[in-house]
Amino acid sequence: MTDDLADLYRELLMDHSRDPRNQGVPDRIDRRAEGDNPLCGDRVTVLLELEDGRIVDARFDATACAICTASASMMTERVRGLTIAEAARLFGAFRALLTGEPVPGADDALPDPDLGDAAALAGVRRFPMRVKCATLPWHVLGDALGPQAGAGAGA
Amino acid sequence: MSPFDVHAIRRRFPILERRFAAGGGPAEAPEGTGLVWLDAAATSQKPEPVLRAMDRFLRTSNANARRSVHRLAGEATDALEGARRRVAGWLGAGEDEIVFVRGTTEAINLVAWSYGRMTLREGDVVLVSEMEHHANIVPWQIIAGERGARVVPVPLADGIAVDLDALERLLAHERVRIVAMTHASNVLGTINDVARITQLARAAGAISVIDGAQAVPHGAVDVRSLGADFYAFSSHKVYGPTGIGALYGRRDLLHSMPPWQGGGDMIRRVSFSGTSFADPPQRFEAGTPDIMGAVGLHAALDFIDSIGQEAIRTHEADITAHALTALAAVPGLRLYGPDRPRSKDRIGVFSFALDGVHPHDAATVLDTLGIAVRAGHHCAQPLMTRLGVPALLRASIAMHTTRDEIDALVAGLDRVRELLG
């Protein structure tokens, strides 16, 4: 097996894709969004429970590849407890990790957000054709959070 | 070039010289793994004579066709009309029955917007099959929606071929004006019984529109013996360039049809009190055509004939038989499509699922081995729904495919299962 491939399908990714966390529905569905990648047919639904502008619970349902499923699992794990603005900023950092572009707002003196398990998706960077697989759940999350999530998650 | 020598043929395709660093990454590597092109159903690779013909045209004869009186304009016009004659001969049609279009998709849109718009009335039906490519569904939905008509799918028998009994029943019970079906499926590889389909359509007073995009690269097509009223194909799937394709339309039908796009080339006389239109095929070719593409398509058809259609079919049948046997031995692999290799029943397109592995992940692993396959819904979402799968892997062969490449695919699938299964 080659290094790029090993780095892509590392243990943590395969663990999240074989045994995805946070599938199903939250106690209360405050926000719901669905998105697909028309190129490949992958489809992701994100369900959120919010309280006082904070994500109390995040759940998902996906018909998707290992990268997309793992990304949704890692994302829902990581964004629980975050404010909408924090989640949006995290998406910016995640996208930067995958594309090699600078983190949006990196000059505002805040430390780069901690991506948690999602940092394990860095290997996707070597496979530009697959970046959209990893970012799809985050785009859907951005849609669920609405315009408040700002440019970091909505684009 | 006889007898058929696949290695000699491979040398005519420059892209097959590409090498990739083993294990992926974008880097070029002279000693790396070779390109295994098993995505021929998406597009074919281009042989040297096609590249040379287009280059030569642009270097020596480039001009707009059918306009000026200078010598180059004459050469460009000859090139375009020579290509039209070549395509007409290829399909067994008259040259005035060949309309140049961008590809199969545009050809079907042309028929929908011109013939469909002229003919369809409230309550009329357009029959398509469950295995159609989106290109043979969506144009009909748009035009049917505008005219108050309906698009009704004809189911498949065993998920493999158009159910002819169901087709007959629908033709008897609905007011069907148009039967739009594919000659060969881009997912299943099935070759439909087009002669029978067009016969049933005609008997019911409907016209037939046949999508030949996948069939034309793999065997001789004669539109008259098929009984097709319209037949479409794309150059880029028959070893020619992208950007051009051809629509065959029965002469009397083309003459009865209004233009669908207006502009230069398609007129007889223009004035502000009224415009008259040119005869077919010019009536349907507004604007400057893709002359360079026509030259490339012409060269591609010459190239195929220089090797021999029968020889290519025999070779592809051998690769198909080998592939079906090899794939059947892969644990956890489910093939969708005819499992017998008879070349009258199927083309070399193999769609399959691997237990527990998503097609995109498998395709990425194969890509790192230099093996290009398609993964996804193949622009046939209704068929995916019918088969109950979100996506499939698809390997598709060409005249230059070898048994070794099929073996490389199977070894690659072992690697996929090792890594992701």
Side-chain angles (χ1 to χ4, degrees):
Chain A
M1 190 182 13
T2 61
D3 289 348
D4 283 349
L5 211 49
D7 198 38
L8 176 64
Y9 292 109
R10 54 176 87 172
E11 197 107 337
L12 191 56
L13 183 149
M14 291 312 294
D15 181 55
H16 273 273
S17 86
R18 288 190 181 116
D19 179 23
R21 289 33 149 197
N22 305 315
Q23 288 184 298
V25 289
D27 290 340
R28 200 182 66 221
I29 301 171
D30 294 313
R31 300 282 176 85
R32 176 203 165 89
E34 199 177 277
D36 55 14
N37 182 348
L39 211 67
C40 61
D42 280 1
R43 175 169 292 253
V44 175
T45 306
V46 169
L47 304 166
L48 300 177
E49 183 178 346
L50 300 179
E51 212 165 287
D52 301 332
R54 229 169 244 287
I55 300 168
V56 178
D57 195 5
R59 304 280 176 153
F60 81 98
D61 179 51
T63 308
C65 62
I67 294 171
C68 183
T69 305
S71 178
S73 171
M74 293 163 168
M75 174 189 80
T76 47
E77 212 168 43
R78 180 64 187 87
V79 298
R80 191 172 299 174
L82 299 187
T83 65
I84 291 175
E86 286 167 341
R89 187 152 182 277
L90 207 57
F91 182 18
F94 181 66
R95 200 155 44 185
L97 176 76
L98 298 193
T99 58
E101 284 160 22
V103 181
D107 51 352
D108 63 7
L110 289 169
D112 283 355
D114 172 15
L115 286 164
D117 283 1
L121 290 168
V124 177
R125 193 196 294 193
R126 307 286 296 161
F127 295 84
M129 302 299 290
R130 305 300 301 279
V131 167
K132 282 197 167 119
C133 306
T135 53
L136 176 62
W138 289 84
H139 282 292
V140 179
L141 175 72
D143 286 347
L145 292 173
Q148 294 157 271
Chain B
M1 194 183 293
S2 177
F4 190 89
D5 176 355
V6 72
H7 297 289
I9 285 168
R10 292 176 70 79
R11 287 194 289 276
R12 311 290 293 278
F13 289 85
I15 207 166
L16 298 179
E17 288 160 20
R18 247 193 102 164
R19 295 288 177 272
F20 302 96
E28 296 286 329
E31 302 303 315
T33 180
L35 172 64
V36 176
W37 185 252
L38 292 175
D39 201 14
T43 198
S44 62
Q45 296 302 350
K46 316 308 170 200
E48 195 70 57
V50 169
L51 304 177
R52 268 206 310 271
M54 292 193 291
D55 183 76
R56 190 172 50 237
F57 172 77
L58 290 180
R59 284 175 195 277
T60 64
S61 302
N62 182 52
N64 208 329
R66 301 190 300 225
R67 283 169 174 77
S68 309
V69 296
H70 51 71
R71 273 170 289 190
L72 291 192
E75 289 176 23
T77 305
D78 288 349
L80 180 69
E81 296 310 322
R84 194 189 308 277
R85 265 194 303 284
R86 188 72 175 89
V87 171
W90 188 264
L91 295 178
E95 59 187 279
D96 59 332
E97 296 177 306
I98 300 298
V99 181
F100 280 129
V101 287
R102 277 191 299 142
T104 307
T105 298
E106 190 173 80
I108 295 168
N109 274 278
L110 189 165
V111 180
W113 282 98
S114 176
Y115 184 85
R117 201 176 198 193
M118 172 179 82
T119 324
L120 292 173
R121 300 279 178 271
E122 186 89 26
D124 284 350
V125 164
V126 178
L127 288 182
V128 300
S129 84
E130 277 186 327
M131 68 165 75
E132 295 312 307
H133 188 284
H134 295 164
N136 207 15
I137 299 174
V138 182
W140 302 115
Q141 288 177 326
I142 293 173
I143 211 72
E146 189 181 283
R147 305 295 301 166
R150 285 179 300 137
V151 176
V152 176
V154 179
L156 305 184
D158 305 324
I160 284 181
V162 174
D163 182 340
L164 295 176
D165 294 337
L167 171 62
E168 241 181 310
R169 275 195 302 278
L170 283 163
L171 283 166
H173 292 110
E174 300 276 8
R175 207 166 72 216
V176 180
R177 300 289 183 210
I178 297 168
V179 175
M181 288 192 191
T182 191
H183 192 167
S185 165
N186 70 314
V187 176
L188 304 166
T190 313
I191 298 175
N192 284 314
D193 187 351
V194 170
R196 181 77 184 131
I197 290 169
T198 62
Q199 185 188 23
L200 291 171
R202 199 166 38 251
I207 62 106
S208 55
V209 183
I210 306 301
D211 170 355
Q214 296 295 340
V216 169
H218 302 289
V221 167
D222 185 286
V223 290
R224 300 221 196 278
S225 63
L226 287 176
D229 295 308
F230 294 98
Y231 193 99
F233 77 97
S234 300
S235 150
H236 76 95
K237 294 196 201 286
V238 286
Y239 308 101
T242 52
I244 191 163
L247 170 70
Y248 157 79
R250 225 177 64 201
R251 187 172 291 119
D252 58 308
L253 288 174
L254 287 180
H255 275 275
S256 75
M257 286 157 54
W260 76 306
Q261 289 177 341
D265 256 6
M266 51 74 72
I267 46 88
R268 179 165 291 141
R269 186 169 191 83
V270 178
S271 78
F272 285 111
S273 58
T275 292
S276 55
F277 304 118
D279 282 339
Q282 275 73 26
R283 186 185 298 169
F284 304 103
E285 293 181 357
T288 297
D290 182 358
I291 309 166
M292 180 194 72
V295 168
L297 171 57
H298 190 157
L301 299 182
D302 285 350
F303 177 72
I304 292 173
D305 269 351
S306 75
I307 291 159
Q309 293 194 54
E310 197 49 47
I312 293 170
R313 193 165 32 239
T314 305
H315 172 71
E316 291 188 355
D318 174 64
I319 300 297
T320 296
H322 181 65
L324 287 173
T325 308
L327 291 173
V330 176
L333 184 147
R334 268 165 301 131
L335 180 81
Y336 293 84
D339 55 7
R340 279 180 311 174
R342 296 195 308 181
S343 62
K344 77 182 234 322
D345 296 336
R346 64 141 47 245
I347 55 171
V349 165
F350 314 102
S351 291
F352 52 92
L354 282 179
D355 277 348
V357 181
H358 194 281
H360 298 147
D361 299 309
T364 289
V365 175
L366 294 173
D367 180 50
T368 64
L369 303 167
I371 303 167
V373 297
R374 173 97 184 255
H377 55 60
H378 312 290
C379 300
Q381 286 174 347
L383 176 59
M384 297 289 117
T385 305
R386 162 71 176 77
L387 299 174
V389 292
L392 290 172
L393 279 164
R394 181 186 71 188
S396 50
I397 67 167
M399 65 163 80
H400 50 70
T401 306
T402 64
R403 285 178 166 236
D404 287 349
E405 289 181 306
I406 299 297
D407 295 343
L409 169 67
V410 168
L413 293 173
D414 286 342
R415 186 76 70 86
V416 169
R417 285 187 303 115
E418 216 173 271
L419 192 60
L420 305 173

